[in-house]
Amino acid sequence: MFKNYFKTAWRNIAKRKGFSMLNVGGLALGMASCLLLLLYVSYHLNYDKQFKELDKIFLVQNNQAGDGKIYTFSASPRQAAETIKSEVPGVLQAVRTVDYSGESLLTYKDKSLKKKGLFADDGFFDIFSYDFIKGDARTALKTPNSVVLTESVAKALFGDEDPLNKMIKRNNATAMQVTGVIKDVPSNSTFKFDVVLPWVLFDEANDWAKNSGWGSNYARTVVKLKDPAGLNAANGIMKHMVERHNDGNKNQLFLYPFAKLHLYSEFVDGKAVGGMISQIRLFITLAICILLVACVNFMNLSTARSEERAKEVGIRKAIGSGRGSLISQFIMESVILSLISVCIAIVLVVISLPYFNTLLGIKLQLPYTDPKAWAALLGIGVLTGLLAGSYPAFYLSGFEPIKVLKGMFKGGTSALSLRKVLVVVQFGFAVFLIIATICIYRQIKYVQDKPIGFDKNNLVEIPIEGDLQQKTDILINQLKTSGNIVNGTVFTSSITSSGNNTWGISWPGKRDDETVLFDVFRVGDNFTQTTGVKLLKGRQFSSSNPLDTAGKTAMINESAAKVMKLKEPIGSIIKYGDAEMTVVGVYQDFVWGSPYEQTRPMFTHYANNYRTAIALRLSPERTITTNVEAINKALKTLNPAYPPVVNFVDSDFAQKFANEKLLATLANIFGGLAIVISCLGLFGLAAYAAEQRIKEIGVRKVLGASVANLAGLLSKDFLKLVAVAIVVAVPLSFWAMNKWLENYQNRINLSWWMFVSAAVITIFIAVLTVSYQAVKAALANPVKSLRSE
């Protein structure tokens, strides 16, 4: 029986090639879109899932009250790990990690690589079960000069040599012994690194960190509990831990599940409120909607051929076929078409994955070797076939043979009504995606067009590493003399990414209960001339001024001046902790953190010792290529052990918009696919309507109706459906986009033209889709449709 069903189904599919291609094409597009989205969702849902006993691993989070709200961040004092081990029962291990020190230069013989490093306490590999290829996880970080490499780094440095116990140099100075090699860290991991170094090296390189107290937060502390059930008890003890060890400090530490860190990383007033999970839910919904849209198209296209299949059903019933066998036959056709669609969808996914990975900046791949994945794909194919084919099967198998064979067949009005509802849903979904795309692009453009407070064009940054720490002034003066730069300065962190902040700024007239979070940005000479930040009052720093180099002076931005409410900021004495400083300059606000947030008050003092970047203003009188070549040549001379690195500030600043641009692009791509698939459904419904009204059209044409009149008659019903879809989608889109915009302090207001534009685009697409079938029906010879009358 099954063989017969399969053979008959295949013959029907082969007989109606055009109809079958439309069905397969729509389903394949829907499935490919669904698979891509589900691969992306799976990538994020599996973050950090490679670790054993993940439910016992926690990250220390830090709540700080200020500005009338609670800030939450994952930095904690260096003392937290040891104190948690000694004061909190049920702790198996607690370690510190830090990775903001940048890349390490690793050298073995004549090979050198710059790789991202992570400093960690001994015990890091007791918590995280990385797969060791060489060495012992228990002893890998025991000695001060040990280093653990990833497999790809070890291969690049040592080739086919056994790397274990080999000596390499770090930053052209420190001799390190390779004590372990682990498999490469998956891209969907919270900790991303190529090298793991002992914590003691971080202390040796940073005196400020080694001598810091409970008020300094820079380490990420990871804790492993014996039993996850002890979380509440542990948090009860940790809540006032900082206050007990640092009287007056109200910071509150707490453990947060490491498994939740990626998806639920957004906190409001000290409580987790979501994060990446919102985007994941959006993509799951989008995947389901697109697949359902494809299934609806299948139903529309199948029932649109009801007149053609009606006679087949009538003859089959007349010779004894039961309704059950007919349903089985039609379901079999649907499943075969669906399985063909799955195969095409897989091919489409394989072709589009490289582009998709480049767009997302991640590494998605089909799980070719996972039998469960293939079983799931087969299941999706069968389930989609059953879902998409069930309604047409029950509908077609219900025809009465006498009426059909006498030519008295008429499609059911209830079926047409259901399909109209489904088309409204389809185009409502399309309208929403068009509005979302317009809104996201407008939000990005709005923020991009706002003044950023500095000139990012012709501005480059060079990381300070190796000998550059002592030769920054030589480099700047040499490039100035050669005419390749106009000015240069140094920073303690990039001008494009926020770094340090503090609550510890005091000023005359500050209330005792007033707490304001200040950004802290340390700079060198010629800060304003180099960056293009406007100096509003006073002066900037100079290395020739002993008060500046001694840390006795400060500059503030205009937001800080407003917060302090100083009648005359210049000359005012403010405090940074216990250190008194005289304000010598006020500069214009500039975007340092997120461009979507309001600029915070900023405090600036002279970068004397600890500096991480050189900023250079390129000469506009020479080409960028000439200037960069001169910088590279100077770097090779002054810092020969390190490969030259020149970062363009405008490119780095553009990364601030990467997430929103990604959302807009994805909305474009999948919105476009949803519209294409929806149009296939509308095409099927138009064909069905033309088929149902073919005799009416013939009569009207005989009575003198023009082609334009007949095309309009058929089209207006569909335009009504699109109008209903617009009416339903617009208020929902308004609500959803307003909710999305609430995430940004600097945001647009939704305008009427966005919704009108979406409506016009949708109507235009619908008219194009329907017009073909409408004109085709209007041009048909009425003799053919009326000859039996």
Side-chain angles (χ1 to χ4, degrees), residues 323-605:
R323 190 174 185 186
S325 64
L326 288 170
I327 290 172
S328 300
Q329 176 65 50
F330 292 129
I331 289 289
M332 177 63 72
E333 288 183 26
S334 299
V335 170
I336 291 173
L337 283 172
S338 180
L339 291 175
I340 293 171
S341 300
V342 168
C343 296
I344 296 173
I346 292 172
V347 173
L348 291 175
V349 169
V350 170
I351 293 171
S352 59
L353 262 182
Y355 166 76
F356 208 61
N357 283 333
T358 302
L359 175 68
L360 297 173
I362 57 178
K363 295 178 182 178
L364 301 180
Q365 58 183 11
L366 283 169
Y368 296 105
T369 58
D370 187 356
K372 292 180 181 177
W374 289 106
L377 281 173
L378 181 62
I380 289 174
V382 173
L383 185 63
T384 303
L386 292 173
L387 178 65
S390 58
Y391 173 70
F394 282 98
Y395 173 64
L396 293 172
S397 64
F399 294 160
E400 296 180 32
I402 295 175
K403 290 183 178 181
V404 168
L405 296 176
K406 282 186 175 183
M408 300 166 62
F409 164 73
K410 288 184 179 179
T413 56
S414 61
L416 187 59
S417 299
L418 176 61
R419 285 193 297 278
K420 285 181 178 179
V421 170
L422 293 174
V423 168
V424 168
V425 172
Q426 285 179 325
F427 274 87
F429 183 56
V431 171
F432 170 77
L433 287 171
I434 293 171
I435 291 172
T437 302
I438 294 172
C439 179
I440 294 169
Y441 272 120
R442 289 298 301 172
Q443 171 65 7
I444 294 171
K445 182 167 176 54
Y446 171 76
V447 178
Q448 283 181 327
D449 290 347
K450 283 180 72 70
I452 64 172
F454 66 91
D455 184 5
K456 63 182 185 294
N457 299 312
N458 278 330
L459 184 63
V460 298
E461 288 184 340
I462 299 165
I464 296 177
E465 47 196 2
D467 295 339
L468 276 186
Q469 194 66 249
Q470 290 78 39
K471 296 179 179 179
T472 53
D473 292 338
I474 297 174
L475 176 68
I476 292 171
N477 291 331
Q478 181 177 316
L479 292 170
K480 261 187 175 182
T481 303
S482 65
N484 295 104
I485 68 167
V486 177
N487 258 308
T489 188
V490 293
F491 301 142
T492 53
S493 56
S494 171
I495 198 170
T496 62
S497 58
S498 56
N500 195 17
N501 50 52
T502 182
W503 302 98
I505 304 294
S506 302
W507 59 89
K510 181 184 179 184
R511 302 190 313 271
D512 291 339
D513 63 342
E514 193 172 4
T515 53
V516 179
L517 186 65
F518 279 75
D519 286 329
V520 180
F521 190 50
R522 299 174 180 88
V523 302
D525 293 15
N526 303 313
F527 161 55
T528 58
Q529 293 104 315
T530 303
T531 60
V533 172
K534 187 177 180 182
L535 185 65
L536 302 177
K537 290 183 180 181
R539 66 174 180 86
Q540 61 179 334
F541 299 129
S542 171
S543 57
S544 62
N545 191 317
L547 291 177
D548 293 346
T549 55
K552 299 293 185 181
T553 58
M555 296 174 70
I556 57 175
N557 69 352
E558 55 186 315
S559 289
K562 289 175 184 176
V563 166
M564 294 178 179
K565 299 177 183 176
L566 302 172
K567 289 183 179 180
E568 180 49 60
I570 305 302
S572 297
I573 305 298
I574 64 175
K575 281 187 176 182
Y576 179 31
D578 295 327
E580 289 190 348
M581 298 182 173
T582 303
V583 177
V584 297
V586 179
Y587 53 86
Q588 191 176 51
D589 288 348
F590 66 87
V591 175
W592 195 35
S594 170
Y596 298 100
E597 296 175 358
Q598 298 294 335
T599 303
R600 278 203 295 258
M602 179 177 278
F603 163 83
T604 298
H605 62 101

Side-chain angles (χ1 to χ4, degrees), residues 22-51:
L22 272 178
N23 256 345
V24 168
L27 272 179
L29 275 176
M31 286 179 174
S33 303
C34 183
L35 285 175
L36 280 172
L37 288 167
L38 291 180
L39 280 174
Y40 179 75
V41 167
S42 176
Y43 174 87
H44 286 283
L45 291 180
N46 285 298
Y47 238 80
D48 297 316
K49 291 296 191 297
Q50 72 270 26
F51 299 124

